[in-house]
Amino acid sequence: MSAGHMGRAAVILATVLGSLCCISATTASQEAQRYNFRFVRHARDAPLVSYYNYIIVGGGTAGCPLAATLSEHSRVLLLERGGLPYGNRNVSSEYHFADALADTSPLSPAQRFVSEDGVVNARARVLGGGSCLNAGFYTRASSAYVRASGWDHRLVNASYRWVERALVFRPGVPRWQCALREGLLEAGITPDNGYTLEHVPGTKIGGTIFDRRGRRHTAADFLRKAHPRRLTVFLHATVSRILFRRAEGLAKPVASGVVFTDPLGVQHHVYLRRGGSKNEVILAAGTLGSPQLLMLSGIGPRLHLEKHGIRTIHDQPGVGQGVADNPMNSVFVPSPIPVALSLVQVVGVTRFGSFIEGVSGSQFGIPLHGRGAARHAARNFGMFSPMTGQLGTVPPRERTPEAMRRAAEVMRRLDRRAFRGGFILEKILGPLSTGHIELRSTDAHANPAVTFNYFRDPRDVERCVRGIEAIERVVRSRAFSRFTYANHTAMEAAFRRAAGTAYFPVNLLPRHPRDTRPLQQYCRETVMTIWHYHGGCHVGGVVDRDYRVVGVQGLRVIDSSTFKYSPGTNPQATVMMLGRYMGLRILEERWIRKGADGKH
């Protein structure tokens, strides 16, 4: 293609995307008014130059509570590369939970990426971040995790309570989840801790961000607590780099602002207000976004930056290192009777380093009735299906698009009876296996290259083995017997009646008699993601205990990229807490803090 043709193609693409974003902006504007978000605007309406006390990059799980808190006493700009979660059924409805992850359109709230390990994954691209995409489970970090992080225990508890008052509910527990709970106890995962938000060993019912009507509440809801005249939010704003200046008398570069582009490619410059030594740029762009933006801005391993033609501001080898994704291994337990929809509500916190959870329902996010049921059944099979990349019957490297298509075709032939049941899954504590993030290009819109090195550490493999063995005990338990076939022969016969095949493209329990793989191999070959990846800007390496980036001034990172280990069985509670916690700590540094009870 000639340069002229390429130029015209680029203009056409920009125009199309601009038109889509204009439609999106109209919807966003209407929804913003509905929620009284007068401060939320489209990036195309941003001034070319503006000034703030705090510039927060990333309106996600940490960025929203952080922005709301800082706006109590300062002028704050929050930049989010996605749109509003409100008005999007795939985000707001529990019944359509799986659709967001299956959506690969340019305006999807989930941006798909495939790790170098071959596992399909997703990163959030929406105001509210991962809280708009997850299964809703809410649980705090353990007290040991809080101590190891060096956090103020009293302020942590106040920050958790602030989060919980806004969007945490006690779930209604259907029969399948009750059976899972009793089965976990029969399997020896004790004690029975009942309903609790604390992370404690044993079996418990946790909180949820879905209310009793199945409506999701997200981190974007925290913006209702913001000062409406001190906060500005720009949507569809992609930050391409952080700006630095050399201050007189200071040896370290000082962050002075950022550059972001709107969907039409127009660049906007935002600067920190001069005369305020405490003014800061704060990255809350997540495990992929924050290390990527640091490297694009010249902070990272020098040789890697030079490879991409990026001038080094600070040679920091730790940027992008120590990235981990908690490996998930999931098995489908077919049921001879109908099973109600439920997302994660019950968890078994084992003492050997594995967490066991479950989701149930015919298609895991697809309604079983109503006008759209048949249409959905034709194109989507839920969060653990080939359509979202969660094909577990072949090793990660063999999960090609063709393999996905073959598996999806088999699933299309299976009728609704074969889909009855639920998934029981286990996630590894930690994990101990880690990888890294590298730039593929200098394009801020593109995903970086991510390597997680699943199960490289043999201790992770042994935890997985014990987790799978525990799941097998749950499936054989008396409490779970009504939701399982008597034996593999009966289950296989049901599949043959449904679709004329005994093949099923997801892992099953009981396992097929011909599956003689050792569980160690089974764990490696059936690994999937639970979307709890973290690391890349570790505390003690890239940032200090106050989350300031080492080697420069006026720049912090406050999100999951600072975690060495994932907190609790689901990290969202702690990421949201961290946004509130650090907001209060930063205000305290400005001598404005009025108390740490979380009420102001």
PDB file of all heavy atoms in Angstrom, residues 41 73 103 177 241 243 338 411 429 438 479:
ATOM      1  N   ARG A  41     -16.589  14.440  31.239  1.00  0.00           N
ATOM      2  CA  ARG A  41     -16.666  14.966  29.879  1.00  0.00           C
ATOM      3  C   ARG A  41     -15.896  14.061  28.921  1.00  0.00           C
ATOM      4  O   ARG A  41     -15.081  13.236  29.339  1.00  0.00           O
ATOM      5  CB  ARG A  41     -16.097  16.391  29.832  1.00  0.00           C
ATOM      6  CG  ARG A  41     -16.826  17.364  30.738  1.00  0.00           C
ATOM      7  CD  ARG A  41     -15.981  18.584  31.054  1.00  0.00           C
ATOM      8  NE  ARG A  41     -15.621  19.336  29.860  1.00  0.00           N
ATOM      9  CZ  ARG A  41     -14.732  20.327  29.865  1.00  0.00           C
ATOM     10  NH1 ARG A  41     -14.111  20.673  30.988  1.00  0.00           N
ATOM     11  NH2 ARG A  41     -14.456  20.971  28.744  1.00  0.00           N
ATOM     12  N   HIS A  73     -10.159  18.451  48.746  1.00  0.00           N
ATOM     13  CA  HIS A  73      -9.404  19.658  49.083  1.00  0.00           C
ATOM     14  C   HIS A  73      -8.508  20.169  47.959  1.00  0.00           C
ATOM     15  O   HIS A  73      -7.749  21.111  48.176  1.00  0.00           O
ATOM     16  CB  HIS A  73      -8.546  19.409  50.328  1.00  0.00           C
ATOM     17  CG  HIS A  73      -9.349  19.107  51.545  1.00  0.00           C
ATOM     18  ND1 HIS A  73     -10.064  20.061  52.211  1.00  0.00           N
ATOM     19  CD2 HIS A  73      -9.570  17.949  52.198  1.00  0.00           C
ATOM     20  CE1 HIS A  73     -10.690  19.503  53.241  1.00  0.00           C
ATOM     21  NE2 HIS A  73     -10.402  18.227  53.250  1.00  0.00           N
ATOM     22  N   ASP A 103     -16.697  -9.473  24.354  1.00  0.00           N
ATOM     23  CA  ASP A 103     -16.781  -8.358  23.411  1.00  0.00           C
ATOM     24  C   ASP A 103     -15.376  -7.896  23.023  1.00  0.00           C
ATOM     25  O   ASP A 103     -14.603  -7.442  23.867  1.00  0.00           O
ATOM     26  CB  ASP A 103     -17.559  -7.207  24.071  1.00  0.00           C
ATOM     27  CG  ASP A 103     -17.727  -6.001  23.158  1.00  0.00           C
ATOM     28  OD1 ASP A 103     -17.315  -6.072  21.983  1.00  0.00           O
ATOM     29  OD2 ASP A 103     -18.279  -4.989  23.630  1.00  0.00           O
ATOM     30  N   GLN A 177     -24.677 -23.074  45.428  1.00  0.00           N
ATOM     31  CA  GLN A 177     -23.627 -22.496  46.259  1.00  0.00           C
ATOM     32  C   GLN A 177     -23.683 -23.056  47.681  1.00  0.00           C
ATOM     33  O   GLN A 177     -22.631 -23.271  48.310  1.00  0.00           O
ATOM     34  CB  GLN A 177     -23.751 -20.967  46.283  1.00  0.00           C
ATOM     35  CG  GLN A 177     -23.441 -20.282  44.954  1.00  0.00           C
ATOM     36  CD  GLN A 177     -21.953 -20.136  44.676  1.00  0.00           C
ATOM     37  OE1 GLN A 177     -21.120 -20.339  45.555  1.00  0.00           O
ATOM     38  NE2 GLN A 177     -21.614 -19.780  43.443  1.00  0.00           N
ATOM     39  N   ARG A 241       2.450   9.870  27.448  1.00  0.00           N
ATOM     40  CA  ARG A 241       3.707   9.996  28.195  1.00  0.00           C
ATOM     41  C   ARG A 241       3.545  10.989  29.349  1.00  0.00           C
ATOM     42  O   ARG A 241       2.640  11.831  29.357  1.00  0.00           O
ATOM     43  CB  ARG A 241       4.846  10.431  27.284  1.00  0.00           C
ATOM     44  CG  ARG A 241       4.789  11.859  26.781  1.00  0.00           C
ATOM     45  CD  ARG A 241       5.953  12.136  25.831  1.00  0.00           C
ATOM     46  NE  ARG A 241       6.041  13.529  25.448  1.00  0.00           N
ATOM     47  CZ  ARG A 241       5.349  14.084  24.470  1.00  0.00           C
ATOM     48  NH1 ARG A 241       4.506  13.336  23.767  1.00  0.00           N
ATOM     49  NH2 ARG A 241       5.484  15.368  24.183  1.00  0.00           N
ATOM     50  N   LEU A 243       5.347  14.048  31.403  1.00  0.00           N
ATOM     51  CA  LEU A 243       6.297  15.126  31.140  1.00  0.00           C
ATOM     52  C   LEU A 243       7.151  15.382  32.376  1.00  0.00           C
ATOM     53  O   LEU A 243       6.652  15.296  33.509  1.00  0.00           O
ATOM     54  CB  LEU A 243       5.547  16.406  30.766  1.00  0.00           C
ATOM     55  CG  LEU A 243       4.633  16.310  29.533  1.00  0.00           C
ATOM     56  CD1 LEU A 243       3.811  17.582  29.387  1.00  0.00           C
ATOM     57  CD2 LEU A 243       5.457  16.041  28.273  1.00  0.00           C
ATOM     58  N   PRO A 338     -31.613 -28.790  36.680  1.00  0.00           N
ATOM     59  CA  PRO A 338     -31.328 -27.381  36.381  1.00  0.00           C
ATOM     60  C   PRO A 338     -30.641 -26.695  37.559  1.00  0.00           C
ATOM     61  O   PRO A 338     -30.873 -27.033  38.722  1.00  0.00           O
ATOM     62  CB  PRO A 338     -32.713 -26.784  36.132  1.00  0.00           C
ATOM     63  CG  PRO A 338     -33.574 -27.943  35.768  1.00  0.00           C
ATOM     64  CD  PRO A 338     -33.051 -29.121  36.537  1.00  0.00           C
ATOM     65  N   MET A 411     -19.804 -26.990  21.132  1.00  0.00           N
ATOM     66  CA  MET A 411     -20.683 -26.433  22.151  1.00  0.00           C
ATOM     67  C   MET A 411     -22.008 -25.958  21.550  1.00  0.00           C
ATOM     68  O   MET A 411     -23.049 -26.021  22.195  1.00  0.00           O
ATOM     69  CB  MET A 411     -19.970 -25.296  22.879  1.00  0.00           C
ATOM     70  CG  MET A 411     -18.747 -25.780  23.656  1.00  0.00           C
ATOM     71  SD  MET A 411     -17.901 -24.476  24.565  1.00  0.00           S
ATOM     72  CE  MET A 411     -18.899 -24.397  26.034  1.00  0.00           C
ATOM     73  N   LEU A 429      -2.390 -19.304  45.791  1.00  0.00           N
ATOM     74  CA  LEU A 429      -1.930 -18.201  46.630  1.00  0.00           C
ATOM     75  C   LEU A 429      -0.611 -17.668  46.081  1.00  0.00           C
ATOM     76  O   LEU A 429       0.250 -18.418  45.655  1.00  0.00           O
ATOM     77  CB  LEU A 429      -1.719 -18.694  48.067  1.00  0.00           C
ATOM     78  CG  LEU A 429      -1.050 -17.722  49.044  1.00  0.00           C
ATOM     79  CD1 LEU A 429      -1.984 -16.576  49.364  1.00  0.00           C
ATOM     80  CD2 LEU A 429      -0.651 -18.458  50.326  1.00  0.00           C
ATOM     81  N   GLU A 438       7.085  -6.111  28.763  1.00  0.00           N
ATOM     82  CA  GLU A 438       7.970  -5.366  27.879  1.00  0.00           C
ATOM     83  C   GLU A 438       7.146  -4.618  26.855  1.00  0.00           C
ATOM     84  O   GLU A 438       6.014  -5.022  26.533  1.00  0.00           O
ATOM     85  CB  GLU A 438       8.942  -6.307  27.155  1.00  0.00           C
ATOM     86  CG  GLU A 438       9.947  -6.985  28.061  1.00  0.00           C
ATOM     87  CD  GLU A 438      10.903  -7.865  27.278  1.00  0.00           C
ATOM     88  OE1 GLU A 438      10.510  -8.332  26.181  1.00  0.00           O
ATOM     89  OE2 GLU A 438      12.037  -8.089  27.742  1.00  0.00           O
ATOM     90  N   ALA A 479     -23.021 -33.743  50.329  1.00  0.00           N
ATOM     91  CA  ALA A 479     -23.740 -32.485  50.161  1.00  0.00           C
ATOM     92  C   ALA A 479     -23.902 -32.116  48.691  1.00  0.00           C
ATOM     93  O   ALA A 479     -24.903 -31.494  48.302  1.00  0.00           O
ATOM     94  CB  ALA A 479     -23.004 -31.368  50.907  1.00  0.00           C
TER      95      ALA A 479
END
